[in-house]
Amino acid sequence: MSPGPGNAPASQAELDRVAQSAAEAATFLKAIGHEGRLMILCHLTTGEKSVSELEELLSARQAAVSQQLSRLRAEGLVAPRREGKTIYYRLTDDRAIRILDTVCDLFCRTH
């Protein structure tokens, strides 16, 4: 069977783009694939939260929350805002919001 228009072999450039996209997707999924980080992201879908609010919502110590926020910040998923001594975080990546909506649909909402 000869390759038709839809079955043409992929060029090396296309394969490289797919490999790059797969690497980016894997990095993104690793960032949200931790229970603590996922819970932080879920809480941030309802709006900006302070670090102390997140500590209370997660029943976690400040050091643990800060460590997870640092990873999310490094991945560009959240951004901080300082107001006096308080630091607030918000979601900055639309992909995270879209994924979290799907995760909530699949795992959180009862039917």
Side-chain angles (χ1 to χ4, degrees):
M1 182 160 111
S2 65
N7 297 329
S11 71
Q12 187 59 47
E14 290 168 329
L15 293 173
D16 290 345
R17 278 193 299 276
V18 168
Q20 179 63 35
S21 293
E24 288 174 16
T27 299
F28 174 80
L29 292 171
K30 285 178 189 174
I32 68 168
H34 179 278
E35 184 178 350
R37 290 190 294 270
L38 187 58
M39 289 181 65
I40 288 170
L41 292 169
C42 286
H43 286 301
L44 293 177
T45 61
T46 62
E48 186 178 71
K49 302 277 184 296
S50 70
V51 174
S52 59
E53 286 175 299
L54 290 169
E55 289 172 36
E56 188 174 320
L57 289 166
L58 299 168
S59 298
R61 297 194 328 202
Q62 188 270 334
V65 172
S66 291
Q67 181 181 18
Q68 301 311 329
L69 286 167
S70 176
R71 171 70 189 271
L72 293 170
R73 203 172 48 246
E75 296 296 334
L77 300 175
V78 300
R81 175 181 68 83
R82 180 180 290 275
E83 189 174 294
K85 293 182 180 182
T86 305
I87 299 175
Y88 295 89
Y89 280 88
R90 62 181 166 76
L91 291 174
T92 57
D93 191 321
D94 185 55
R95 298 173 305 171
I97 296 166
R98 292 169 57 194
I99 290 284
L100 291 166
D101 283 343
T102 300
V103 168
C104 285
D105 284 343
L106 295 172
F107 297 99
C108 304
R109 296 185 180 120
T110 55
H111 299 286

